[in-house]
Amino acid sequence: MSGAQFVIGLDVGTSTVRSIVYDVHGQVVGSASTTVETISPQPGWSEIEPEQLWEKVVEVLRLSISKAGLTAQQISSLGISCQRATFTCWHKETGQYFHNLITWQDLRADRIVKEWNNSFTMKGLRLGGKLLHWITRQARYKAAGILRLHPGMVPMRLLWALDNVPTLRKAVEAGEAMFGCVDSWLLYKLTGKHITEVSNIAATGLFDPFTMQYAGWAFTLFSLPLSIMPEVVDSCGEHFGSTKPDILGQSVPIRAVLADQSASAFGSSCYRPGSAKITLGTGSFLDVVTARPHASMAGLIPLIGWKIGTETTFLAEGSVHDTGVIVCWAKSVGLCDNIEDTSQTVSALPSSNGVYFVPGFHGLQAPVLDSTASAGFIGLRLDTTRDEMLRAVVESIAFSMMRVVEGFMSETGSKLEVIVVDGGVARNDFIVQMIADLTGVDLIRPPSVEVSAWGVAGLAGLGAGVWGDREQLAKLREEEGDTFTRRKEWGGMEEYGRWVEACQRFTRWNTT
């Protein structure tokens, strides 16, 4: 094995850090994973301790190489997939962070968001967007005309940090602070560079996918310091550098970095416009490849899939934030031991018997877009059973994805023919089959549902010359998976309509 080439895919998620070593045939020869501890110092806050995350990254990298029976010298390249919109700030000279990583699920900026959304400034911005759309007919200005801020946007949480972390504000004024999402933090620790990959920074709201530059209007509007921002680089290439020798015993070239959903799309061979994938993990995401940024009126977000040289691939994304939270909550209250194993239990029931669950622990995302919405059951009766409540919880995951898919197809007029589905929750046959029944779209579940690591490893291998082109990569993953098609006898659209009605009952609840 000493003369062979191997590639590592490092997937740094919200709940798990995973390192997988692949050989030239795309086969897994070694892997390691560990859980990520999320801290909640106050209700609605969600943090990760940066140094602890770094230690876990090093741990899984070393262990996966060891399990593969290799040394770092035999690794031709490393690719890194990262959770998005989770950030920290650190000192330029010492590397000491000023605050914990504030995750994409964090709601601490809710008050700031409400103040801004009700401000004359935002009202003026929305009016300006409508006028510019009337003049130019450009869809991006039409979307600006309905723009509403939400706590998940990085500018809002960064504004909170600048206002509430005195040492950070002082360092910014002295020109000694650096900002970065998870990709930037890890690249800084691995190589010493202060850079960010384009698909990661594009998910923050600080980078404009229409102009492919930092969004100057956002920095001006919110008085954010552009000086702390990292340099933006392409998704693949030698510009990432190599790991410091003492980390793995030998320098390993980093040849690709991608945001997690971009890595998932690339790993699912979603290379062409119109191809789509759903990820059911900590959050649930629909990502559809587009030839240009998609300006949405239905809450879909225009993102960058990847940028390789002169090629830029875009994504239109709809998301549901609370899938992982729902799973953990269902376990904690005794509804199930493992959501992935509930398929048989809930399939044995004819229905949830009129019980519906609204998954609004962190508000409701597109197309509702209400951060004040709450979670809860509706339709409970004296004879409601635990299994019926469990089925309502499981159904809510499928209903949520139907709403996102429905929004995309309605807005674009496009019908999705096939969707690739991945993520840990995708192991649940009931959920995947229900999404196929609801949408009428065939869903394909690959043999391995952990696709992000493979996607970024594949891109890193292309960058290092391990594989020649994307067609070769796609052929390595042509194993037959499971196909889920709408059942002719299925008739659950009325249940979906009732669930949509239930969601409306839970909006505008946490308004104080």
Side-chain angles (χ1 to χ4, degrees):
M1 295 177 72
S2 60
Q5 289 182 306
F6 300 89
V7 180
I8 294 179
L10 174 66
D11 181 15
V12 185
T14 309
S15 56
T16 306
V17 176
R18 181 178 291 105
S19 177
I20 302 178
V21 184
Y22 299 92
D23 65 14
V24 72
H25 304 292
Q27 297 300 308
V28 176
V29 295
S31 66
S33 65
T34 187
T35 57
V36 175
E37 181 185 359
T38 303
I39 308 164
S40 184
Q42 295 186 33
W45 291 26
S46 178
E47 301 179 352
I48 298 171
E49 204 279 317
E51 199 62 34
Q52 185 182 87
L53 179 66
W54 164 243
E55 290 170 358
K56 294 195 173 190
V57 164
V58 174
E59 174 190 335
V60 296
L61 283 172
R62 289 174 177 172
L63 189 55
S64 64
I65 295 171
S66 173
K67 284 186 174 181
L70 303 171
T71 65
Q73 189 173 3
Q74 294 170 276
I75 305 299
S76 63
S77 60
L78 166 65
I80 306 172
S81 164
C82 299
Q83 58 173 292
R84 305 166 304 176
T86 293
F87 73 91
T88 187
C89 297
W90 63 95
H91 196 280
K92 183 183 296 185
E93 301 300 329
T94 67
Q96 179 61 44
Y97 53 88
F98 296 105
H99 57 82
N100 284 340
L101 286 153
I102 302 175
T103 81
W104 56 278
Q105 296 175 311
D106 191 279
L107 298 176
R108 73 185 65 198
D110 189 53
R111 180 186 58 80
I112 299 174
V113 168
K114 290 175 182 175
E115 290 174 356
W116 271 96
N117 278 333
N118 294 325
S119 68
F120 288 113
T121 302
M122 285 303 298
K123 290 175 182 177
L125 183 65
R126 288 190 281 266
L127 177 60
K130 291 175 182 177
L131 289 173
L132 285 170
H133 174 256
W134 182 74
I135 296 169
T136 67
R137 313 312 297 174
Q138 292 186 32
R140 61 179 298 206
Y141 293 124
K142 186 178 182 181
I146 62 167
L147 175 66
R148 291 193 68 82
L149 305 173
H150 59 83
M153 291 179 170
V154 168
M156 298 291 94
R157 286 176 284 135
L158 178 56
L159 197 58
W160 181 95
L162 289 166
D163 288 343
N164 291 274
V165 183
T167 53
L168 171 59
R169 174 65 75 179
K170 184 177 179 180
V172 168
E173 293 171 353
E176 297 173 342
M178 289 180 169
F179 164 93
C181 292
V182 171
D183 69 313
S184 293
W185 171 247
L186 293 181
L187 287 168
Y188 176 78
K189 298 289 283 186
L190 287 165
T191 70
K193 295 188 176 186
H194 186 215
I195 56 178
T196 185
E197 183 273 333
V198 66
S199 71
N200 278 279
I201 196 66
T204 62
L206 295 167
F207 189 88
D208 189 342
F210 293 92
T211 63
M212 296 298 291
Q213 296 177 339
Y214 274 115
W217 66 268
F219 288 89
T220 301
L221 183 64
F222 303 119
S223 299
L224 299 174
L226 186 58
S227 60
I228 67 175
M229 293 294 135
E231 176 190 357
V232 182
V233 299
D234 285 5
S235 308
C236 180
E238 297 181 359
H239 44 261
F240 295 111
S242 299
T243 63
K244 297 172 185 176
D246 61 310
I247 297 172
L248 301 175
Q250 175 88 20
S251 290
V252 174
I254 302 171
R255 288 294 175 265
V257 175
L258 287 171
D260 51 6
Q261 300 312 312
S262 295
S264 173
F266 196 87
S268 299
S269 302
C270 295
Y271 304 142
R272 297 177 179 83
S275 53
K277 66 87 185 169
I278 283 175
T279 295
L280 301 172
T282 303
S284 292
F285 303 87
L286 168 71
D287 288 277
V288 184
V289 176
T290 60
R292 59 187 61 85
H294 175 70
S296 173
M297 299 296 290
L300 299 171
I301 302 172
L303 297 172
I304 297 170
W306 49 84
K307 185 176 186 299
I308 307 169
T310 58
E311 174 210 345
T312 304
T313 297
F314 298 92
L315 299 175
E317 180 177 279
S319 63
V320 180
H321 291 174
D322 280 341
T323 306
V325 173
I326 294 167
V327 171
C328 292
W329 175 81
K331 290 180 184 178
S332 70
V333 298
L335 286 177
C336 65
D337 294 324
N338 190 331
I339 201 76
E340 297 164 13
D341 301 329
T342 61
S343 184
Q344 187 173 355
T345 301
V346 298
S347 295
L349 299 173
S351 71
S352 61
N353 197 20
V355 178
Y356 301 93
F357 180 73
V358 177
F361 289 106
H362 292 94
L364 293 172
Q365 289 75 56
V368 180
L369 295 176
D370 182 4
S371 62
T372 70
S374 185
F377 288 98
I378 193 169
L380 293 174
R381 304 187 312 188
L382 289 174
D383 61 349
T384 297
T385 67
R386 188 186 73 163
D387 286 352
E388 287 169 346
M389 294 174 69
L390 174 61
R391 176 159 173 149
V393 170
V394 172
E395 285 180 339
S396 74
I397 297 174
F399 286 150
S400 297
M401 289 317 300
M402 166 57 178
R403 202 160 197 191
V404 174
V405 173
E406 183 180 50
F408 174 83
M409 292 195 294
S410 173
E411 182 173 79
T412 63
S414 303
K415 187 179 189 319
L416 300 173
E417 300 297 331
V418 176
I419 301 175
V420 180
V421 60
D422 65 74
V425 180
R427 295 189 181 97
N428 186 298
D429 288 352
F430 179 88
I431 293 174
V432 180
Q433 180 61 60
M434 192 171 185
I435 295 173
D437 290 335
L438 286 161
T439 62
V441 179
D442 289 352
L443 266 63
I444 298 176
R445 182 177 62 192
S448 172
V449 295
E450 303 298 347
V451 182
S452 294
W454 165 246
V456 78
L459 185 56
L462 288 175
V466 176
W467 298 294
D469 53 39
R470 295 176 205 181
E471 286 66 31
Q472 184 182 359
L473 275 183
K475 287 179 181 177
L476 293 175
R477 289 285 161 164
E478 282 184 339
E479 316 104 300
E480 284 192 20
D482 301 312
T483 300
F484 296 80
T485 303
R486 174 182 277 175
R487 295 169 293 185
K488 292 181 180 179
E489 72 279 9
W490 189 79
M493 290 308 293
E494 183 179 344
E495 296 297 301
Y496 170 65
R498 290 285 285 166
W499 176 82
V500 170
E501 183 183 344
C503 287
Q504 291 302 317
R505 301 284 185 96
F506 282 77
T507 58
R508 300 187 61 78
W509 180 257
N510 299 306
T511 55
T512 56

